[in-house]
Amino acid sequence: MLRSGQPLTGPNRRRCREDEMLLGMVLDEGERGFIIDTRSAQAAKQARMTGGGTEPKSSYPQWRRLHRPLERGRPLQESFIKLVEACNDTSINMDRWLSRLESCRWLSHVKAALSTACLAAQCMDREEASVLVHGTDGTDTTLLVTALAQLILDSSCRTLVGFQGLLEREWIEAGHPFHLRCARSAYSHARMKQEAPLFLLFLDCVWQLSRQFPFSLEFSECLLLALFDNAYASAYGTFLCNNEKERCLCKVKENTHSLWAWLNQPGEKKKYLNPLYSHNALVIWPSVEPQSIQLWQGLFFRWIRSSQYLDEAWEEIQRLVEGN
């Protein structure tokens, strides 16, 4: 699996021989690969007018391009805001709640992200083909797809340590601009142009996987909630800045503590483990049917609904597992 930003073909359809050679070397003679573009065909075409574009078929004959549009900017942030507002409105009736849940389209974004990740995983697992994923910059929906595809395919990414490594590699080191995307929250009256909950969408998709495969992920919902909190406001430096260059300039590693070091302390680590976990080396294929995608109540209702009984049940499960 490869990831990148968009090729800079521009309106004159410029070619880059080095890039063509690089992608050509990935495939043996007779093999084919898939390019999953997370933009619509129309958006990719429009990007040529500002210097971007797509890979021309004539220059990349062994690669087949598939467009799977995923929202990454303003529409996604507005969807998040509308969902939070609906969840916090306890005065609405059932019909009104269902209408607002549908109109915010958050669950549609979750379904689209999981569907695209499944497509990437299927190309690799069932077609035994190489896959290149990119959108515009390769630091938003691209990372969403590559990270989810690895969770689906690779059981090592579903362990606590492996998941931390996945986040470090596919989100932090790959340059997801956390400072811009997570500058405020759904509660802010400010509407910053570059804010978008891509990382939250990823965490929601991971929660969907954990719900459909309750024994296959070593970590629990508590870890996902902690990651959401720390992405928006943290005492640790792990999610600071927008890329590695900024983190080096700000000397983040020298001046802050790592979130991973804190999570991996024996006393803390236990809180984030799934007591039902059983190693599953198989690929996990999530259902993306509408009936299978559910609202993440543990996150979106956490401020209006007590989790006391669920926490107590979880503790009882841990005691029973440890007793055996």
Side-chain angles (χ1 to χ4, degrees):
M1 179 178 285
L2 308 162
R3 50 174 162 75
S4 71
Q6 65 180 328
L8 305 180
T9 54
N12 296 324
R13 296 178 179 268
R14 293 189 301 270
R15 295 180 64 177
C16 178
R17 304 288 184 181
E18 293 82 2
D19 187 64
E20 294 169 15
M21 186 181 301
L22 179 64
L23 287 189
M25 292 174 65
V26 171
L27 306 175
D28 292 331
E29 189 171 342
E31 288 186 338
R32 65 171 180 168
F34 293 91
I35 298 172
I36 298 180
D37 195 322
T38 60
R39 304 166 295 177
S40 67
Q42 182 63 28
K45 185 177 181 180
Q46 289 175 345
R48 284 210 302 266
M49 303 310 295
T50 55
T54 58
E55 296 82 358
K57 290 182 181 179
S58 58
S59 303
Y60 300 85
Q62 291 178 268
W63 292 86
R64 178 187 174 191
R65 191 171 70 251
L66 305 171
H67 288 277
R68 292 296 183 272
L70 297 174
E71 293 289 358
R72 70 182 187 97
R74 192 87 193 133
L76 190 62
Q77 178 69 6
E78 290 296 335
S79 176
F80 177 39
I81 292 170
K82 289 178 182 178
L83 175 58
V84 170
E85 289 175 347
C87 289
N88 288 339
D89 187 352
T90 56
S91 65
I92 56 177
N93 59 30
M94 176 62 79
D95 291 342
R96 182 66 177 147
W97 158 249
L98 293 175
S99 175
R100 290 182 68 174
L101 180 61
E102 180 182 11
S103 66
C104 76
R105 300 193 65 248
W106 180 261
L107 296 183
S108 296
H109 296 310
V110 173
K111 174 181 169 17
L114 283 172
S115 298
T116 307
C118 284
L119 173 63
Q122 287 170 353
C123 289
M124 296 181 69
D125 183 68
R126 296 178 179 176
E127 300 288 333
E128 296 184 347
S130 296
V131 173
L132 167 64
V133 183
H134 72 67
T136 301
D137 301 318
T139 56
D140 288 297
T141 50
T142 299
L143 308 183
L144 175 65
V145 172
T146 58
L148 286 173
Q150 289 176 67
L151 272 173
I152 292 168
L153 291 170
D154 188 354
S155 61
S156 68
C157 293
R158 304 194 288 265
T159 66
L160 181 61
V161 173
F163 187 62
Q164 292 173 19
L166 178 72
L167 296 179
E168 189 73 30
R169 179 177 67 251
E170 295 299 315
W171 287 92
I172 298 170
E173 293 177 355
H176 179 64
F178 281 98
H179 178 68
L180 290 174
R181 300 291 184 263
C182 303
R184 298 180 186 273
S185 73
Y187 292 98
S188 172
H189 293 293
R191 295 290 186 264
M192 301 186 71
K193 282 180 65 176
Q194 299 196 59
E195 194 168 12
L198 268 301
F199 187 61
L200 167 59
L201 182 58
F202 167 72
L203 296 177
D204 198 328
C205 291
V206 177
W207 179 81
Q208 303 289 338
L209 289 173
S210 71
R211 191 188 58 79
Q212 293 188 27
F213 301 93
F215 305 107
S216 296
L217 277 66
E218 189 185 23
F219 49 89
S220 68
E221 180 186 45
C222 290
L223 176 68
L224 302 179
L225 293 173
L227 290 170
F228 167 75
D229 290 339
N230 279 275
Y232 279 90
S234 181
Y236 302 89
T238 302
F239 296 117
L240 288 180
C241 304
N242 293 309
N243 49 54
E244 283 296 293
K245 180 181 179 181
E246 287 187 12
R247 281 186 279 274
C248 288
L249 290 173
C250 295
K251 297 184 177 180
V252 168
K253 289 184 178 179
E254 292 86 348
N255 297 327
T256 68
H257 294 287
S258 168
L259 175 63
W260 312 134
W262 172 65
L263 290 177
N264 290 324
Q265 292 180 98
E268 288 293 325
K269 184 177 179 180
K270 185 178 178 181
K271 300 177 187 177
Y272 304 104
L273 292 175
N274 174 12
L276 301 177
Y277 173 69
S278 177
H279 176 69
N280 176 11
L282 300 175
V283 176
I284 55 173
W285 297 110
S287 169
V288 294
E289 294 300 318
Q291 299 90 336
S292 300
I293 307 298
Q294 295 188 12
L295 182 65
W296 185 5
Q297 296 185 33
L299 175 67
F300 294 111
F301 291 157
R302 66 193 294 202
W303 293 283
I304 62 172
R305 180 183 297 173
S306 173
S307 63
Q308 174 190 347
Y309 299 115
L310 186 61
D311 294 339
E312 290 175 354
W314 203 244
E315 290 172 5
E316 183 62 24
I317 291 172
Q318 286 182 315
R319 282 196 292 270
L320 290 172
V321 170
E322 290 170 359
N324 291 334

